[in-house]
Amino acid sequence: QQALQIAIDGPAGAGKSTIAKIAAKQLGLFYVDTGAMYRVIAYKVLKNRAPIDDESMVSQIAKSTVVVFDHSDKRIVWCDGEDVTQEIRCPEVSRAVSVVAAYPGVRERLVELQRMEAERGGVVMDGRDIGTYVLPEADIKFFLTATPEERARRRWMELQKAGKDVTYQEVAIDMAERDRLDTEREVSPLKPAKDAIILDTTGLSIEELVSKILALVQGG
Ligand code: C5P
């Protein structure tokens, strides 16, 4: 019997990672943040000052990068042995990541890593194409949404808390552009799987959402 697989997809700021982390802990599963993997590649492209429009060079970088996750509570992300946990959340990476994530060569390499992570045991995996492509046989699939205003507000508050100097407007604009690129790209665009449960998280607290999701997982 295959270990439990829970897929959580949706646009930026819909609450995926917050919920996935808590649900994984409560259910005793691994949490796999696939967005962090794409961010590592974007980080490395920027660090190497490689031309981001050069698809073959970016794909080559993806293939030669060693991405490692620490599954402890610290959730450290390593890029070729360097701790990049903080760096991958900066606005420059956020702006570059959707360009990099649209390249098939990059996706191929990271999907392979994601499926390997899922072979280690039960997982809660969050991303954009988990239910549609990475884990099509997942036991249960969620697609989280919220209004663009609420999503931008949540992300802005997160950045404020982390001491980042950005305005709500900047966050809202960057987020809208990222969602547009993610939705319109040709390979594995952001969209709900046919069998996904769509949840609008607008106005819901984290506790409400977690209990809703756990009830659906345990009831199903
Ligand atoms: O989840 P997060 O917002 O950190 O993801 C960053 C970016 O990585 C997304 O905007 C998207 O371009 C890309 N991504 C993806 N497929 C995934 C997860 C993330 O294309 N499964």
Side-chain angles (χ1 to χ4, degrees), residues 108-165:
E108 206 177 294
R109 153 92 176 148
L110 295 184
V111 168
E112 191 186 317
L113 265 176
Q114 291 155 16
R115 290 182 178 151
M116 270 164 58
E117 290 279 334
E119 275 170 20
R120 293 155 48 105
V123 284
V124 181
M125 194 176 281
D126 84 8
R128 303 293 186 285
D129 61 338
I130 310 307
T132 53
Y133 186 69
V134 182
L135 303 176
E137 305 296 327
D139 299 275
I140 187 159
K141 303 174 181 178
F142 295 99
F143 191 88
L144 304 189
T145 63
T147 61
E149 295 74 24
E150 170 126 353
R151 295 191 288 106
R153 193 181 55 80
R154 286 180 189 162
R155 186 51 53 87
W156 178 62
M157 280 171 41
E158 239 171 60
L159 291 167
Q160 293 282 90
K161 242 198 217 155
K164 298 273 160 33
D165 183 24

Side-chain angles (χ1 to χ4, degrees), residues 9 12-13 16 33-36 38-39 89 97-99 101-102 107 114 126-130 134 155 178-179 182 185 188:
D9 291 300
K16 300 183 301 294
D33 174 1
T34 64
Y38 291 93
R39 287 174 178 274
R89 305 286 160 196
V97 65
S98 293
V99 176
R107 302 200 70 82
Q114 291 155 16
D126 84 8
R128 303 293 186 285
D129 61 338
I130 310 307
V134 182
R155 186 51 53 87
R178 190 141 69 88
D179 287 340
D182 290 344
R185 72 173 172 231
S188 304

